[in-house]
């Protein structure tokens, strides 16, 4: 049985972002993100298998200088966390924030 890469669901937005480390130490990791309804999932590269996903509850702009924004998520184990994401441009950061807010307000 092939691993589900999440291609069957409608993706509202996708693209490369840097993700802050979780409980492990280290720097930001480059990941390919997809927003499907209020679910954010990430892969190592476009077309790859989903390596993580979480329901998004909140998004907030942090810095236009570094293009950072924060999300509050609940993972598949029911744990709520705050994570920092970094876009390559302020425009991309604001597109992500707008897309997530649009879904959260629907």
């Amino acid at each position: 049985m092939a691993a589900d890469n999440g291609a069957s669901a409608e993706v509202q937005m996708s693209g490369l972002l840097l993700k802050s480390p979780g409980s492990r130490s280290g720097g930001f990791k480059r990941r390919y993100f997809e927003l499907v309804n209020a679910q954010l999932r990430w892969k190592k590269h476009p077309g790859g298998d989903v390596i993580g996903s979480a329901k998004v509850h909140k998004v907030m702009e942090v810095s236009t200088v570094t293009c950072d924004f924060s999300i509050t998520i609940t993972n598949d184990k029911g744990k709520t966390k705050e994570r920092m994401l970094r876009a390559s441009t302020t425009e991309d950061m604001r597109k992500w924030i707008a897309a997530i807010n649009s879904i959260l307000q629907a």
Side-chain angles (χ1 to χ4, degrees):
M1 180 176 187
D4 177 18
N5 67 4
S8 60
E10 184 181 342
V11 176
Q12 283 91 9
M13 185 157 183
S14 62
L16 293 168
L17 296 169
L18 296 176
K19 178 182 168 289
S20 65
S23 58
R24 299 179 187 143
S25 62
F28 280 77
K29 303 268 188 205
R30 186 179 174 115
R31 297 289 182 245
Y32 183 79
F33 283 84
E34 296 177 334
L35 180 62
V36 179
N37 298 322
Q39 193 79 13
L40 191 63
R41 55 191 185 199
W42 50 97
K43 306 171 179 187
K44 286 192 177 183
H45 53 82
D49 291 335
V50 174
I51 58 172
S53 67
K55 182 175 179 169
V56 181
H57 300 283
K58 182 180 171 184
V59 62
M60 183 176 68
E61 183 177 305
V62 175
S63 170
T64 56
V65 175
T66 58
C67 305
D68 290 348
F69 60 103
S70 128
I71 56 172
T72 303
I73 57 174
T74 301
N75 65 18
D76 57 355
K77 296 175 184 169
K79 188 171 182 179
T80 300
K81 304 175 179 186
E82 187 172 322
R83 287 287 182 259
M84 193 71 64
L85 298 176
R86 181 173 291 163
S88 58
T89 66
T90 301
E91 181 182 355
D92 282 348
M93 174 190 66
R94 290 190 172 143
K95 284 180 183 178
W96 276 99
I97 290 171
I100 293 168
N101 276 327
S102 173
I103 289 168
L104 295 177
Q105 295 170 1

